[in-house]
Amino acid sequence: MTEVSHIKYSSIKLWFNATRPKFLTAVIIPIILGSVIAFVYENAFYPLYFVLALIGGIALHAGTNIANDYFDFKSGTDIINKEVTPFSGGSDFLREGILKPRDVLVASLILLGIGIAIGLYFTFVIGWFLLVLGLIGALCGFFYVALASKGLGEVAIGINFGPLCVLGAYYVQTVKITLVPLIASIPVAFLITAVIWINQFPDYVADKEVGKDHLVVRLGRSLSAVRVYHGLILGTYAAIALGIVFSFLPLFCLISFITLPLFAIPGMKIAHKNYLNTPKLIPAQAMTVMTHLFTGILLIVGFLIRYIVLIVL
């Protein structure tokens, strides 16, 4: 490998890591879920639209992550934060001067622009409704820090990575809105909100100092905030159960309850016991991410099993 190619590779890898790729499943899971529901219930699946929806969603999410780092760095919260974990506290790229703030801002705008461009394409070939969804996603992404400071960040995250993504992916394939994808998006929305919520505990002191008054700051790093986290987790499984009872979700989605004893309950116990101890809270952060990822995957599997069973019978 030549020196030049090594530099290019390092630069590509650097920017890839700056997007926080381990969190991109937050947008990948709901887009796949919405697309699978369209296939299972409407027999509608256009591979090109699916790929473009994934690219657009990933671009919007990556742009959001980078913009979040930029605004947190400018506000000073990432600089003064002494409780950084693998899941919270921002990236080191700006803190350590590896990337320049202006370059990070430009990168976020480019990625958000890619997402908007794909949204405009869908608007042209499918309908204006997708432009609305795309603009909501882009604006919420770029201004997430401002929304979080007003106590609206958690709501924005839940809506964007729940109903907006699932319904958007479903609409791209079917050009219609139904209750099934909306109901299926609720547990995904709860779980991604839980991921954000638990990750705000280590950031509490720094965020409070700079006036980033998200809901954990407003409630305090307290048992009250932990109870909300528990409510989001338990609300996830209640939403799945109710969706099945009222026939919006297939019975096979019960398979998603496997994550309750595997990740959700252990994470809740750790959070309850160690919400004031950041090093010991990290496993709860990891388990919340795993709960979101695998519950989403198993919901998708539940819909696919329904499709297979109906074909066989």
Side-chain angles (χ1 to χ4, degrees):
M1 180 182 293
T2 65
E3 182 179 353
V4 173
S5 63
H6 175 71
I7 291 172
K8 288 181 179 178
Y9 171 76
S10 298
S11 179
I12 292 172
K13 185 178 180 181
L14 173 65
W15 281 107
F16 176 72
N17 289 332
T19 66
R20 301 190 196 178
K22 62 186 174 184
F23 291 113
L24 295 180
T25 54
V27 72
I28 293 171
I29 289 296
I31 288 175
I32 294 176
L33 178 60
S35 302
V36 165
I37 294 172
F39 173 69
V40 170
Y41 283 85
E42 303 290 339
N43 198 29
F45 184 75
Y46 299 93
L48 175 61
Y49 289 176
F50 172 70
V51 171
L52 286 175
L54 269 181
I55 293 172
I58 290 171
L60 289 173
H61 190 193
T64 296
N65 289 342
I66 295 176
N68 189 21
D69 278 346
Y70 171 80
F71 287 112
D72 278 347
F73 178 79
K74 297 297 285 187
S75 72
T77 184
D78 280 354
I79 299 173
I80 64 176
N81 196 344
K82 306 300 182 184
E83 298 189 63
V84 178
T85 77
F87 302 95
S88 57
S91 67
D92 294 329
F93 300 116
L94 285 172
R95 271 197 303 264
E96 297 182 4
I98 299 171
L99 293 174
K100 296 178 180 179
R102 181 181 178 279
D103 294 340
V104 169
L105 177 60
V106 170
S108 73
L109 291 173
I110 290 172
L111 286 166
L112 292 172
I114 292 171
I116 292 173
I118 291 174
L120 288 172
Y121 169 76
F122 279 138
T123 300
F124 179 74
V125 299
I126 297 176
W128 62 267
F129 180 69
L130 292 168
L131 177 61
V132 174
L133 296 183
L135 286 175
I136 292 172
L139 291 173
C140 286
F142 188 74
F143 294 108
Y144 168 73
V145 172
L147 290 170
S149 298
K150 302 297 183 182
L152 298 172
E154 297 85 356
V155 175
I157 290 294
I159 292 173
N160 275 271
F161 294 99
L164 191 145
C165 280
V166 177
L167 287 174
Y170 180 86
Y171 191 87
V172 162
Q173 300 293 337
T174 65
V175 197
K176 64 170 67 173
I177 295 296
T178 65
L179 280 175
V180 172
L182 178 61
I183 300 300
S185 74
I186 294 174
V188 178
F190 281 162
L191 283 177
I192 194 59
T193 305
V195 170
I196 295 298
W197 193 275
I198 195 68
N199 287 346
Q200 288 173 341
F201 278 77
D203 296 340
Y204 170 78
V205 173
D207 287 348
K208 184 177 181 180
E209 188 169 332
V210 302
K212 187 178 179 181
D213 296 331
H214 50 68
L215 294 182
V216 172
V217 166
R218 293 172 185 236
L219 287 173
R221 195 170 179 176
S222 62
L223 278 175
S224 295
V226 174
R227 291 188 187 103
V228 174
Y229 167 72
H230 287 176
L232 290 166
I233 297 295
L234 295 176
T236 297
Y237 297 97
I240 295 170
L242 288 172
I244 293 171
V245 168
F246 289 100
S247 301
F248 290 110
L249 305 182
L251 179 62
F252 305 104
C253 283
L254 280 174
I255 192 174
S256 62
F257 273 72
I258 292 173
T259 60
L260 183 60
L262 283 181
F263 305 117
I265 290 177
M268 290 168 64
K269 289 180 178 178
I270 293 170
H272 183 81
K273 185 177 180 181
N274 299 294
Y275 64 93
L276 292 174
N277 188 325
T278 292
K280 291 185 178 180
L281 187 66
I282 291 174
Q285 293 178 287
M287 288 179 184
T288 309
V289 171
M290 298 293 276
T291 303
H292 172 271
L293 173 62
F294 286 103
T295 302
I297 290 173
L298 291 173
L299 283 173
I300 292 167
V301 170
F303 279 101
L304 289 174
I305 293 174
R306 177 189 186 275
Y307 178 78
I308 294 170
V309 168
L310 288 177
I311 289 178
V312 172
L313 296 179

